Amino acid sequence: MPRQYKPSGRIGPACAVTLPVGLGLVAASGFGYGAVAAVNPWGIANSAAYLAAVVAGAIGLHWMVKLGKLRSVGWGWLYGLAATGVFVGGGFVGIWRIESPGDAFMAFHSARLGTGVTMFGAGSWALAGWMLVAAWVLAILLALLVCVGVPSTHAGRPFCESCGTGAAGKRWSGKLTNPSAGGIARARSEKSLDAVLAVMPGSSGASEHHLVVRIGACRCLGMATVTAKVLEASNSTDPGTEVVEEMAVSRGDLERIEAWRARALPHSAAVPQLSIRVREHTPLEITPELPAGESHQCSVRWGGGPSMDSFADNEYTKALRKRLADGDYLAAEAAIQQMRHPSDRAYVAEACADWPERPTWLDEWIEERPDSGLAYLVSGIGRVQQGWKARGAGWVPKNYEQFQAHLRDAEAHLVRAAELLPKDPTCRAWMLYAGKGLELGIEEQRARFEEVERCCPRHRSANTFMLDSLLPKWGGSEEDSLRFAREQARSARAGSVALSVVAEAHLHVGFDKEKEAATYWAKPDVAREVREANSKLFGNNAHKENMDSPRTRSMFAYMLWKTGQTDLARPHLERLGKSTAWGPFNPIPGTSDSYGRARKAAGL
């Protein structure tokens, strides 16, 4: 599929020089226009001078943004707004300094509103008052459109971070002079690469249109783009209608284009293929291990959605995600391989997959390392999360077809990960999450859970996902969910985070009862089961801290507090600190379920 390109958001070091220079050039263009307008009595001709100044300023902005390697559309917008301000300001200053430097700036322009601007030489009709203000407004809007459009558009064009060049340099082009009329109509309608590659030669007679396909690439051939145009055959000067414009494409896309060329343009040169970049990777400066007795400090990742299992970052995953934001997927591969505890492995894998939008480096990872099971694992988790994000958190799905499509893609990637990583429990655990959304039924979910158990008994994430599938809202029952939690707790070894499933089960049952939750949690049997699971997990120093521990401590702290066992909740609240990123505490301070209320009840 075509690569979904997103700018890296980088601001190149050279921008410290080029962006101020660009503003200087724009200000000079505006001042130059003002100087011309001050001495030229033909106001109508000044319109041409203004357009020339805008074009000159745009050219300066283009080159300064290009040389500075600004790769942030947001910063491009801000830079464009600043450029508009200095251009317009330069124009007003130019007119004032040349025509009447002795007057105050504001007084001069106020007087000018009254006298106006002569349009056809001295003594002719003058544009004044509200009409002059309207002309100024239109001129400012034109400057705004150009000055903002140039840097923001250039910053969003496909750019290779490896060699530091854009992906628009021409590497190949081909013209199909007799395309089928049906193919051209579809290409114009759909404006997609698939539609372009469906265009085949038509009959041997003259065609009304030509199809031109152009491949651009960066210097190192690490990134490529495709542009396709439809030209009118009878008009040699026709610039053409863009069907696809500078679309970033993957290695697989280029292979498809080459296959199309071999059929449609057999006598043309072969389409160049992307090179496999030799990526350099240096280990993270921070290690995942903590000194004995310490816990990971966590912060909420990005606002998240309804699909997160571990939605907060610790110090290690925060540093790792910073590397990933720069496209260093080898950091993800090394980090996941380094994890020995299954909970740590699952935590880090999800941290690599959890982004507001699917990152481009993820597709590059699969392209460049097609036999990497970890690439498919991270991609599959990301697809699951994208699916649940599209669905929304309500009872009724918002985008059901999109939800299902994402989950089917996730299934395919997770199955591939399981083939390449036959002993990995994480991919099989996330197949449970996908299966819930695909409504595969409880028996299929049980079979999937057994697969995880064979790889890693009492896997915490798998326990959570299976418990969720057994809840009444997903076709199970209160009895099924509690029975499952008790079975897992009975067979779990002391110190295992899998014991948190007991607290989670009673939490969900209570929440499902809504206003009767407090009554349910006050039952002696509920308090006893939560207390016993907490004791088996944390008693006698049986638990060894891992990345899942803060989440588990937060869960027990909440349930021990709600079941009236605040003295047992206190050690967890002390360990978590003055704030926590984890639920089920209400994140709004002062509410009845807030973390601060729990700490106050525990005397902290």
Side-chain angles (χ1 to χ4, degrees), residues 73-372:
V73 175
W75 279 105
W77 271 82
L78 291 176
Y79 183 59
L81 290 174
T84 303
V86 299
F87 178 81
V88 173
F92 280 112
V93 169
I95 296 173
W96 166 60
R97 293 297 296 172
I98 300 300
E99 188 170 327
S100 187
D103 294 337
F105 178 79
M106 293 303 297
F108 166 75
H109 284 291
S110 295
R112 198 161 183 261
L113 275 175
T115 59
V117 176
T118 57
M119 298 302 292
F120 304 101
S124 66
W125 176 74
L127 193 67
W130 69 267
M131 289 190 292
L132 183 56
V133 172
W136 285 349
V137 170
L138 290 175
I140 291 171
L141 289 176
L142 175 62
L144 180 67
L145 179 65
V146 174
C147 290
V148 171
V150 168
S152 60
T153 300
H154 187 83
R157 297 177 70 185
F159 183 86
C160 177
E161 299 289 345
S162 296
C163 66
T165 60
K170 181 179 175 181
R171 294 301 183 107
W172 179 89
S173 67
K175 178 188 283 189
L176 183 60
T177 57
N178 62 329
S180 63
I184 289 294
R186 178 188 170 190
R188 279 180 155 174
S189 173
E190 295 185 14
K191 295 186 179 297
S192 66
L193 181 60
D194 287 341
V196 170
L197 299 185
V199 179
M200 287 287 119
S203 60
S204 57
S207 173
E208 296 181 359
H209 303 95
H210 294 164
L211 176 67
V212 176
V213 178
R214 177 181 178 276
I215 303 295
C218 65
R219 186 183 300 136
C220 71
L221 281 178
M223 175 176 282
T225 60
V226 60
T227 298
K229 290 183 177 182
V230 175
L231 307 179
E232 296 292 337
S234 59
N235 185 357
S236 59
T237 61
D238 179 26
T241 303
E242 299 279 2
V243 176
V244 173
E245 183 176 8
E246 285 192 10
M247 176 188 289
V249 288
S250 65
R251 182 177 296 107
D253 294 325
L254 286 178
E255 291 173 354
R256 291 169 58 208
I257 295 172
E258 168 59 18
W260 171 82
R261 180 210 64 81
R263 298 194 306 274
L265 300 167
H267 301 297
S268 63
V271 173
Q273 299 300 306
L274 291 177
S275 63
I276 298 178
R277 281 179 271 173
V278 179
R279 293 180 179 262
E280 296 181 359
H281 166 69
T282 55
L284 292 175
E285 295 178 358
I286 186 172
T287 61
E289 292 80 14
L290 289 175
E294 292 190 18
S295 297
H296 286 281
Q297 298 301 309
C298 301
S299 57
V300 176
R301 191 168 290 139
W302 59 270
S307 60
M308 311 313 142
D309 180 41
S310 300
F311 53 79
D313 276 326
N314 55 42
E315 302 89 339
Y316 181 78
T317 58
K318 190 179 295 183
L320 172 60
R321 285 169 57 81
K322 187 175 181 180
R323 282 283 191 88
L324 291 176
D326 291 335
D328 182 12
Y329 67 70
L330 292 181
E333 197 162 86
I336 300 173
Q337 288 174 341
Q338 186 181 357
M339 298 301 111
R340 293 294 173 261
H341 194 287
S343 290
D344 288 346
R345 186 179 178 91
Y347 195 102
V348 171
E350 184 175 3
C352 295
D354 184 16
W355 302 90
E357 302 293 340
R358 185 176 176 84
T360 56
W361 56 260
L362 194 45
D363 293 323
E364 292 173 2
W365 188 2
I366 292 175
E367 280 181 37
E368 296 173 16
R369 293 178 176 249
D371 294 327
S372 171

